[in-house]
Amino acid sequence: MVLLGDNHPELSGLVWKINRLLGSLGTSIQLFKAPRPAPYGTLEDFIRDIREKKAEIVFLLDAGNPVLDSGRSSGLSEALNGVESIHLGMYEDETSRVCRWHLPAAHFLESWGVERDCRGRFCYRQPVILPLYGGVSPEEVLSGLLSTKGQLTTADNSPARLSPVYHRARKCFERAVNPENKAAAWARALQRGYSEETAYAPLSPQEETALGTAMAQTPAASLGGRGKKLENGMLELQFCPDYSVGDGRWKRNAWMQECPDPVTGVSWAASAQVSPATFLRLGGSDSEPMRCTLAAPSMQMEVILCPVPGVADHLIVLPLGYGGINHVAEKQENSAGYEFRRQMEETAAPGIAPAQIALAPLPERTEAVQSPVMQPAPFSRHPGPARSSSPPPGADAVYQWKMAIDTSRCIGCNACMIACRAENNIPVVGRDQMARGRALDWIRIDRYFTEEGTLTAIPVACQQCGSAPCESVCPVNATVHTTEGLNAMVYARCWGTRYCATNCPYKARRFNFFDYAKASERATRLQRNPNVTVRSRGVMEKCTYCVQMVERAKIRHKARLMKEHPGQPSTSIHVTAQDMRLPDGAAQTACQLACPMGAITFGNALDPAAAVFRAKSLPRHQDLLSRLGTSPGTGYLIPAGNPNPAMEKLHALPGD
């Protein structure tokens, strides 16, 4: 399947023909009879209507930050100052400052609502908690405007503690689905999360044929037109939302800010991408990222420029979303991507000249600004000696917890990192501490590139070594090996000598320099997992295979065994070791649950029916630094290629 981005709509006919030749239509691509959306007005139309007094009151309901996004030259700020304007937003920003009124917006997990997915199904947004700060949802504002009473009713001030949007969402469901038993059908819809009855109808064969005929008649776009515009050495600019902060709505979320970009490895800053050849052409001396200043007619934009194999030559990929008011990161670069893009559009420049780009060394190196590693993967061509599958002497004969990560599936999205942070009460340290190499994430994503641009992402956490180098050097026995194969931490014993971190060849241990738990605010305390110890300063932290989730699964399994013998005391119940063994999948780690690709397999290696047992039996299974003899519990399935010999013989298009 070939997908088309937003930058080249003129290639839609060509992409359609390619997908038809690949046989993707009707298999990978489903065609639905979706209604054509009503045309929207432009920002210029909106500003003109305000200036011409066609609008007396303007509501900006969860509209992001249009004043910052549109730039100073758009005139939106002056227009909003001249009208009764009401802004609904979660934060104080440039738009809220120019509006007359600002309403605190509720988070989407605090509000009811109905949305439609790409297939047309009604999806029901359900709150998991009452608004913490008295927030209001856009639907509640609209409900108040539509009601005859003209009152703003929310879950906080309603007598039944139920938002009026709940009743509107239920009425919307009943009108669309028209079930016989409305109460039971509504309960099933909420449990499932969507209504299949509202899905769009698929295209009929006649409609598919007509659409295919129309797309086939679309003239092929000229592939050389853009190249002629850039013949004088100019570089093409491609703007895209930042991976971590999106279009800017997540820039106050410290979890997202501290999440490294999966390609450049940069956090807490905007990072642009160029090919290594273009990087050298612009003045870069090696593969080290550099600070880049881009000049527009009346402004400058600063980003971290990273050479990334696989990016096309003569192209700069620039992120949007950074810049503006941000109390979370006061020292963060003001990239001002939206204003820069607007000025480039106003000048109608086809690209940017190298003379408008200046590179300078980064003032500081952080462990979140990583140089790309130019090798296929960190696996040895000659792995170490095979290990015995039997547990060592004194080990538990029922459980030996192991993990296998399929690097062919891992896409480096950092979902495992965020899930681990949420599950294990890992605080964010901020940009200043990251610059000092004091990150606290228990998982990191190492990135390896080939010269052709193929990326292999390797999640690295504590490897749970059977012969752990960290255990032998701890003077207070704070890191110990359990009988179930886990390298455990006893935080009450640890006094922070950091010998274990020095002796760890995988560099997967973190030292807590500050008492983040004590300094955290009330809202931060509310999100902590009560089943995980909240660490204080001066101790080592690391992955524990989410031992709390393993123990919880054991307790539930024992409770089920007790239910099978009602009325009998536990001392009289005879169970075997096989009865006590958890079924495969009963215990899962946070990273495993969050991985969208299913790349992480975790379980009992002593269970032949377990998925991790099968994964570790595959020929592709290897350990990191296998020749050290540390016997890690976490193994990796090396990248599996399925090359097409005919494709490998093809060369680049002429003029590329």
Side-chain angles (χ1 to χ4, degrees):
M1 177 174 63
V2 177
L3 298 178
L4 179 65
D6 298 332
N7 297 317
H8 299 283
E10 70 277 2
L11 300 178
S12 57
L14 185 61
V15 171
W16 175 276
K17 297 174 184 177
I18 295 175
N19 283 314
R20 187 184 60 183
L21 293 174
L22 292 174
S24 302
L25 301 178
T27 55
S28 302
I29 300 176
Q30 293 179 314
L31 301 175
F32 293 98
K33 196 182 301 183
R36 186 179 299 274
Y40 294 101
T42 64
L43 178 65
E44 290 74 14
D45 298 335
F46 176 66
I47 297 175
R48 184 178 62 252
D49 289 345
I50 295 178
R51 290 174 175 171
E52 295 177 357
K53 306 299 181 182
K54 294 181 179 180
E56 297 180 1
I57 302 176
V58 173
F59 285 89
L60 299 174
L61 302 181
D62 199 20
N65 192 356
V67 171
L68 175 65
D69 301 348
S70 60
R72 294 185 298 269
S73 59
S74 66
L76 178 60
S77 177
E78 294 77 8
L80 291 176
N81 268 320
V83 71
E84 192 73 18
S85 51
I86 302 172
H87 176 252
L88 177 69
M90 295 185 64
Y91 307 103
E92 177 188 358
D93 54 24
E94 287 79 3
T95 303
S96 67
R97 287 190 172 184
V98 301
C99 290
R100 300 284 181 89
W101 300 89
H102 174 71
L103 298 177
H107 193 270
F108 71 90
L109 293 178
E110 300 173 330
S111 57
W112 287 93
V114 181
E115 299 172 2
R116 207 158 198 168
D117 65 3
C118 59
R119 295 181 55 188
R121 301 178 300 183
F122 280 7
C123 301
Y124 306 102
R125 188 172 71 247
Q126 306 173 49
V128 298
I129 194 174
L130 286 173
L132 294 175
Y133 303 105
V136 183
S137 69
E139 293 88 351
E140 287 172 341
V141 174
L142 294 175
S143 179
L145 293 173
L146 293 173
S147 66
T148 56
K149 297 180 181 179
Q151 296 178 353
L152 183 57
T153 305
T154 66
D156 280 335
N157 58 21
S158 66
R161 289 286 181 176
L162 196 59
S163 171
V165 182
Y166 166 81
H167 303 288
R168 294 186 179 273
R170 181 168 181 176
K171 187 177 296 185
C172 180
F173 159 79
E174 293 174 354
R175 289 180 177 177
V177 178
N178 194 23
E180 293 183 2
N181 190 336
K182 297 181 179 180
W186 174 243
R188 287 194 302 269
L190 291 182
Q191 184 178 18
R192 189 169 50 182
Y194 62 91
S195 293
E196 191 68 44
E197 299 86 348
T198 61
Y200 299 137
L203 289 184
S204 64
Q206 296 80 7
E207 291 170 325
E208 270 194 49
T209 302
L211 180 60
T213 302
M215 295 299 293
Q217 294 175 353
T218 303
S222 173
L223 298 179
R226 300 184 68 89
K228 293 180 180 178
K229 295 180 182 179
L230 300 176
E231 280 180 357
N232 56 357
M234 300 182 72
L235 281 73
E236 180 182 350
L237 295 175
Q238 178 178 327
F239 296 92
C240 62
D242 184 82
Y243 181 81
S244 296
V245 303
D247 59 359
R249 68 186 65 189
W250 309 119
K251 65 184 178 184
R252 293 173 179 82
N253 188 324
W255 280 13
M256 300 302 296
Q257 286 271 17
E258 202 154 299
C259 175
D261 187 282
V263 177
T264 64
V266 175
S267 64
W268 289 101
S271 57
Q273 305 172 28
V274 295
S275 68
T278 303
F279 186 73
L280 294 175
R281 175 186 164 200
L282 294 175
S285 57
D286 50 23
S287 61
E288 295 290 331
M290 301 187 72
R291 183 181 297 277
C292 175
T293 303
L294 305 174
S298 61
M299 65 163 294
Q300 290 183 341
M301 171 182 173
E302 287 189 351
V303 295
I304 296 176
L305 189 65
C306 302
V308 177
V311 177
D313 291 335
H314 315 295
L315 172 69
I316 301 180
V317 182
L318 289 173
L320 299 173
Y322 283 90
I325 302 173
N326 187 5
H327 303 297
V328 174
E330 295 180 355
K331 297 181 180 180
Q332 180 176 284
E333 291 101 333
N334 188 340
S335 62
Y338 287 105
E339 180 67 20
F340 187 84
R341 181 180 66 173
R342 187 171 184 86
Q343 290 204 14
M344 295 299 294
E345 291 175 349
E346 290 177 349
T347 57
I352 186 171
Q356 298 174 260
I357 305 173
L359 299 185
L362 289 174
E364 58 191 16
R365 285 307 309 259
T366 77
E367 76 173 37
V369 180
Q370 305 169 356
S371 300
V373 180
M374 295 295 297
Q375 68 181 57
F379 302 108
S380 173
R381 293 174 179 255
H382 306 285
R387 287 188 283 144
S388 173
S389 58
S390 59
D396 190 273
V398 179
Y399 297 115
Q400 287 296 305
W401 301 106
K402 307 293 181 183
M403 180 177 286
I405 302 176
D406 192 344
T407 58
S408 292
R409 293 189 176 190
C410 179
I411 57 176
C413 65
N414 292 317
C416 56
M417 178 187 297
I418 298 298
C420 180
R421 184 185 295 276
E423 172 67 24
N424 295 292
N425 299 330
I426 302 174
V428 292
V429 300
R431 187 179 182 189
D432 291 341
Q433 295 303 311
M434 291 280 287
R436 292 175 171 84
R438 296 176 176 177
L440 275 180
D441 290 301
W442 292 1
I443 303 177
R444 72 174 187 270
I445 306 293
D446 290 345
R447 301 161 297 114
Y448 297 86
F449 293 88
T450 63
E451 293 184 359
E452 294 78 18
T454 303
L455 167 64
T456 300
I458 311 291
V460 180
C462 173
Q463 302 290 290
Q464 309 293 329
C465 300
S467 301
C470 57
E471 297 174 7
S472 59
V473 296
C474 181
V476 292
N477 205 29
T479 177
V480 295
H481 209 77
T482 69
T483 58
E484 296 185 0
L486 297 182
N487 181 258
M489 280 296 302
V490 184
Y491 295 117
R493 295 179 188 169
C494 181
W495 62 1
T497 61
R498 286 175 276 178
Y499 295 160
C500 57
T502 303
N503 222 36
C504 175
Y506 305 99
K507 301 306 173 188
R509 287 174 164 266
R510 304 294 195 181
F511 181 70
N512 193 337
F513 281 84
F514 294 100
D515 199 344
Y516 296 101
K518 186 177 181 180
S520 61
E521 299 177 352
R522 175 177 174 271
T524 311
R525 298 190 185 105
L526 289 175
Q527 62 88 27
R528 290 179 188 163
N529 184 355
N531 297 320
V532 178
T533 303
V534 178
R535 285 81 57 190
S536 59
R537 67 182 301 182
V539 301
M540 297 301 304
E541 300 189 13
K542 68 170 197 67
C543 164
T544 59
Y545 276 169
C546 288
V547 65
Q548 70 279 0
M549 302 181 77
V550 173
E551 295 302 320
R552 186 191 313 164
K554 289 182 183 178
I555 294 173
R556 291 176 177 174
H557 183 63
K558 292 178 181 178
R560 283 193 294 268
L561 292 177
M562 288 292 295
K563 289 181 180 179
E564 296 176 359
H565 302 81
Q568 297 185 31
S570 59
T571 54
S572 65
I573 300 176
H574 176 71
V575 293
T576 64
Q578 185 63 33
D579 295 331
M580 293 296 296
R581 178 174 289 174
L582 285 172
D584 187 38
Q588 294 180 297
T589 62
C591 57
Q592 178 187 13
L593 290 168
C595 180
M597 304 301 295
I600 301 176
T601 305
F602 171 78
N604 183 11
L606 298 183
D607 183 4
V612 71
F613 181 89
R614 297 192 298 270
K616 287 186 171 291
S617 303
L618 295 175
R620 289 199 294 134
H621 183 272
Q622 281 194 25
D623 298 331
L624 288 181
L625 305 179
S626 56
R627 292 194 171 187
L628 295 181
T630 57
S631 300
T634 297
Y636 296 85
L637 302 183
I638 62 176
N642 185 21
N644 185 338
M647 294 293 292
E648 290 185 338
K649 293 179 181 178
L650 294 178
H651 299 283
L653 290 174
D656 253 9

